[in-house]
Amino acid sequence: KNQVEQSPQSLIILEGKNCTLQCNYTVSPFSNLRWYKQDTGRGPVSLTIMTFSENTKSNGRYTATLDADTKQSSLHITASQLSDSASYICVVSGSDSWGKLQFGAGTQVVVTP
Amino acid sequence: GAGVSQTPSNKVTEKGKYVELRCDPISGHTALYWYRQSLGQGPEFLIYFQGTGAADDSGLPNDRFFAVRPEGSVSTLKIQRTERGDSAVYLCASSRGQQETQYFGPGTRLLVL
């Protein structure tokens, strides 16, 4: 069973609107959680990284939250732009194997004019 | 270099053939990672190197897959007796250290006919 689950699988939003993506994980012991953006045909690009003690991190119009107690994270996109159309992947690292990241399947976001 | 590069960008081969995929990490990055990504899925961990040695190869699916990094820089992923199920995008990433942000290459799209 995948240790990182994301929802929704996909969503379509109008340009200028906000949206929130969800990530639940079971990876333990926990080290950190990252959100990556992956454009079609490209490698993933890191947006945010949060450790156990952090509960929010922003990168421009992207804001990630983390609740390490409930093992949940969210990524909020504010005032979406057409260039935000991509797959957003939640990635969790366990403290017992630093380099072995656990990836979610991603949420495919389509921003329409 | 400016980023992680991977060659070839696309590879088409026949079932049973041998293929090599190359990754050039960012200069100075000691950690290097290989992932496999199937359509509509998040990347799946294969192996990661710290320097020249494989620190964790638990994601390699079977003994047909092998990776090397002889001088601690460039890495080659080798697949013997390819099968149609090996068709995927193979992503490489590098980081300054084990817990640092991973920077991904564009991937090699492998198609086994």
mmCIF file of all heavy atoms in Angstrom, chain B residues 38-59:
data_model
loop_
_atom_site.group_PDB
_atom_site.id
_atom_site.type_symbol
_atom_site.label_atom_id
_atom_site.label_comp_id
_atom_site.label_asym_id
_atom_site.label_seq_id
_atom_site.Cartn_x
_atom_site.Cartn_y
_atom_site.Cartn_z
ATOM 1 N N SER B 38 5.762 5.706 -13.913
ATOM 2 C CA SER B 38 4.802 5.217 -14.901
ATOM 3 C C SER B 38 3.748 6.281 -15.108
ATOM 4 O O SER B 38 3.543 7.167 -14.264
ATOM 5 C CB SER B 38 4.162 3.913 -14.417
ATOM 6 O OG SER B 38 5.165 2.928 -14.219
ATOM 7 N N LEU B 39 3.053 6.175 -16.215
ATOM 8 C CA LEU B 39 2.075 7.195 -16.595
ATOM 9 C C LEU B 39 1.021 7.378 -15.510
ATOM 10 O O LEU B 39 0.424 6.420 -15.038
ATOM 11 C CB LEU B 39 1.413 6.784 -17.922
ATOM 12 C CG LEU B 39 0.590 7.862 -18.610
ATOM 13 C CD1 LEU B 39 1.488 9.009 -19.041
ATOM 14 C CD2 LEU B 39 -0.131 7.270 -19.823
ATOM 15 N N GLY B 40 0.829 8.639 -15.098
ATOM 16 C CA GLY B 40 -0.200 8.934 -14.112
ATOM 17 C C GLY B 40 0.160 8.606 -12.684
ATOM 18 O O GLY B 40 -0.678 8.707 -11.790
ATOM 19 N N GLN B 41 1.415 8.226 -12.467
ATOM 20 C CA GLN B 41 1.862 7.864 -11.115
ATOM 21 C C GLN B 41 2.990 8.774 -10.671
ATOM 22 O O GLN B 41 3.649 9.424 -11.482
ATOM 23 C CB GLN B 41 2.353 6.413 -11.098
ATOM 24 C CG GLN B 41 1.296 5.399 -11.466
ATOM 25 C CD GLN B 41 0.173 5.352 -10.464
ATOM 26 O OE1 GLN B 41 0.397 5.354 -9.256
ATOM 27 N NE2 GLN B 41 -1.054 5.335 -10.961
ATOM 28 N N GLY B 42 3.213 8.804 -9.360
ATOM 29 C CA GLY B 42 4.375 9.505 -8.856
ATOM 30 C C GLY B 42 5.618 8.662 -9.068
ATOM 31 O O GLY B 42 5.539 7.457 -9.311
ATOM 32 N N PRO B 43 6.789 9.279 -8.999
ATOM 33 C CA PRO B 43 8.032 8.524 -9.144
ATOM 34 C C PRO B 43 8.167 7.438 -8.076
ATOM 35 O O PRO B 43 7.733 7.621 -6.938
ATOM 36 C CB PRO B 43 9.114 9.593 -8.982
ATOM 37 C CG PRO B 43 8.441 10.877 -9.355
ATOM 38 C CD PRO B 43 7.026 10.717 -8.875
ATOM 39 N N GLU B 44 8.794 6.352 -8.460
ATOM 40 C CA GLU B 44 9.027 5.218 -7.562
ATOM 41 C C GLU B 44 10.535 5.081 -7.359
ATOM 42 O O GLU B 44 11.288 5.011 -8.331
ATOM 43 C CB GLU B 44 8.454 3.961 -8.221
ATOM 44 C CG GLU B 44 8.759 2.658 -7.531
ATOM 45 C CD GLU B 44 8.402 1.470 -8.407
ATOM 46 O OE1 GLU B 44 8.231 1.635 -9.625
ATOM 47 O OE2 GLU B 44 8.310 0.366 -7.870
ATOM 48 N N PHE B 45 10.942 5.063 -6.105
ATOM 49 C CA PHE B 45 12.368 5.000 -5.781
ATOM 50 C C PHE B 45 13.003 3.712 -6.293
ATOM 51 O O PHE B 45 12.429 2.620 -6.162
ATOM 52 C CB PHE B 45 12.536 5.081 -4.266
ATOM 53 C CG PHE B 45 13.922 4.797 -3.771
ATOM 54 C CD1 PHE B 45 14.901 5.775 -3.800
ATOM 55 C CD2 PHE B 45 14.267 3.544 -3.283
ATOM 56 C CE1 PHE B 45 16.179 5.517 -3.341
ATOM 57 C CE2 PHE B 45 15.544 3.282 -2.824
ATOM 58 C CZ PHE B 45 16.500 4.274 -2.853
ATOM 59 N N LEU B 46 14.195 3.838 -6.873
ATOM 60 C CA LEU B 46 14.963 2.673 -7.308
ATOM 61 C C LEU B 46 16.221 2.504 -6.452
ATOM 62 O O LEU B 46 16.430 1.471 -5.823
ATOM 63 C CB LEU B 46 15.366 2.801 -8.778
ATOM 64 C CG LEU B 46 14.230 2.807 -9.798
ATOM 65 C CD1 LEU B 46 14.789 3.014 -11.196
ATOM 66 C CD2 LEU B 46 13.424 1.518 -9.730
ATOM 67 N N ILE B 47 17.068 3.543 -6.447
ATOM 68 C CA ILE B 47 18.369 3.432 -5.779
ATOM 69 C C ILE B 47 18.905 4.824 -5.525
ATOM 70 O O ILE B 47 18.572 5.747 -6.270
ATOM 71 C CB ILE B 47 19.360 2.626 -6.669
ATOM 72 C CG1 ILE B 47 20.719 2.419 -5.983
ATOM 73 C CG2 ILE B 47 19.549 3.294 -8.020
ATOM 74 C CD1 ILE B 47 21.647 1.471 -6.751
ATOM 75 N N TYR B 48 19.725 4.968 -4.459
ATOM 76 C CA TYR B 48 20.443 6.217 -4.353
ATOM 77 C C TYR B 48 21.872 5.984 -3.908
ATOM 78 O O TYR B 48 22.183 5.009 -3.228
ATOM 79 C CB TYR B 48 19.714 7.242 -3.472
ATOM 80 C CG TYR B 48 20.010 7.244 -1.993
ATOM 81 C CD1 TYR B 48 21.022 8.031 -1.459
ATOM 82 C CD2 TYR B 48 19.210 6.526 -1.124
ATOM 83 C CE1 TYR B 48 21.250 8.067 -0.090
ATOM 84 C CE2 TYR B 48 19.430 6.556 0.246
ATOM 85 C CZ TYR B 48 20.443 7.330 0.758
ATOM 86 O OH TYR B 48 20.662 7.373 2.110
ATOM 87 N N PHE B 49 22.733 6.881 -4.378
ATOM 88 C CA PHE B 49 24.166 6.833 -4.121
ATOM 89 C C PHE B 49 24.571 7.999 -3.221
ATOM 90 O O PHE B 49 24.095 9.111 -3.366
ATOM 91 C CB PHE B 49 24.962 6.976 -5.429
ATOM 92 C CG PHE B 49 24.838 5.805 -6.349
ATOM 93 C CD1 PHE B 49 23.810 5.727 -7.274
ATOM 94 C CD2 PHE B 49 25.775 4.779 -6.325
ATOM 95 C CE1 PHE B 49 23.702 4.649 -8.143
ATOM 96 C CE2 PHE B 49 25.686 3.705 -7.184
ATOM 97 C CZ PHE B 49 24.640 3.640 -8.087
ATOM 98 N N GLN B 50 25.461 7.715 -2.306
ATOM 99 C CA GLN B 50 26.157 8.741 -1.562
ATOM 100 C C GLN B 50 27.623 8.578 -1.954
ATOM 101 O O GLN B 50 28.286 7.638 -1.535
ATOM 102 C CB GLN B 50 25.956 8.573 -0.057
ATOM 103 C CG GLN B 50 26.639 9.639 0.777
ATOM 104 C CD GLN B 50 26.175 11.033 0.451
ATOM 105 O OE1 GLN B 50 24.987 11.272 0.202
ATOM 106 N NE2 GLN B 50 27.089 11.984 0.445
ATOM 107 N N GLY B 51 28.097 9.507 -2.792
ATOM 108 C CA GLY B 51 29.430 9.329 -3.361
ATOM 109 C C GLY B 51 29.409 8.213 -4.382
ATOM 110 O O GLY B 51 28.545 8.171 -5.256
ATOM 111 N N THR B 52 30.356 7.300 -4.282
ATOM 112 C CA THR B 52 30.445 6.213 -5.249
ATOM 113 C C THR B 52 29.626 4.996 -4.861
ATOM 114 O O THR B 52 29.360 4.135 -5.705
ATOM 115 C CB THR B 52 31.909 5.767 -5.419
ATOM 116 O OG1 THR B 52 32.394 5.316 -4.144
ATOM 117 C CG2 THR B 52 32.786 6.926 -5.892
ATOM 118 N N GLY B 53 29.237 4.907 -3.608
ATOM 119 C CA GLY B 53 28.568 3.710 -3.127
ATOM 120 C C GLY B 53 27.054 3.817 -3.116
ATOM 121 O O GLY B 53 26.496 4.881 -2.869
ATOM 122 N N ALA B 54 26.391 2.711 -3.373
ATOM 123 C CA ALA B 54 24.937 2.656 -3.301
ATOM 124 C C ALA B 54 24.520 2.588 -1.838
ATOM 125 O O ALA B 54 24.760 1.584 -1.170
ATOM 126 C CB ALA B 54 24.415 1.450 -4.071
ATOM 127 N N ALA B 55 23.894 3.668 -1.347
ATOM 128 C CA ALA B 55 23.492 3.719 0.060
ATOM 129 C C ALA B 55 22.209 2.932 0.301
ATOM 130 O O ALA B 55 21.977 2.432 1.404
ATOM 131 C CB ALA B 55 23.316 5.162 0.500
ATOM 132 N N ASP B 56 21.375 2.844 -0.724
ATOM 133 C CA ASP B 56 20.104 2.122 -0.591
ATOM 134 C C ASP B 56 19.674 1.694 -1.982
ATOM 135 O O ASP B 56 19.399 2.545 -2.817
ATOM 136 C CB ASP B 56 19.051 3.019 0.065
ATOM 137 C CG ASP B 56 17.748 2.277 0.383
ATOM 138 O OD1 ASP B 56 17.469 1.229 -0.239
ATOM 139 O OD2 ASP B 56 17.000 2.765 1.248
ATOM 140 N N ASP B 57 19.662 0.402 -2.241
ATOM 141 C CA ASP B 57 19.242 -0.096 -3.564
ATOM 142 C C ASP B 57 17.991 -0.942 -3.447
ATOM 143 O O ASP B 57 17.703 -1.775 -4.308
ATOM 144 C CB ASP B 57 20.365 -0.860 -4.249
ATOM 145 C CG ASP B 57 20.732 -2.138 -3.498
ATOM 146 O OD1 ASP B 57 20.162 -2.382 -2.405
ATOM 147 O OD2 ASP B 57 21.595 -2.889 -3.994
ATOM 148 N N SER B 58 17.243 -0.717 -2.382
ATOM 149 C CA SER B 58 16.087 -1.575 -2.093
ATOM 150 C C SER B 58 14.952 -1.423 -3.098
ATOM 151 O O SER B 58 14.050 -2.250 -3.137
ATOM 152 C CB SER B 58 15.562 -1.284 -0.686
ATOM 153 O OG SER B 58 15.147 0.063 -0.573
ATOM 154 N N GLY B 59 14.978 -0.370 -3.911
ATOM 155 C CA GLY B 59 13.907 -0.162 -4.875
ATOM 156 C C GLY B 59 14.132 -0.822 -6.212
ATOM 157 O O GLY B 59 13.220 -0.867 -7.045
#
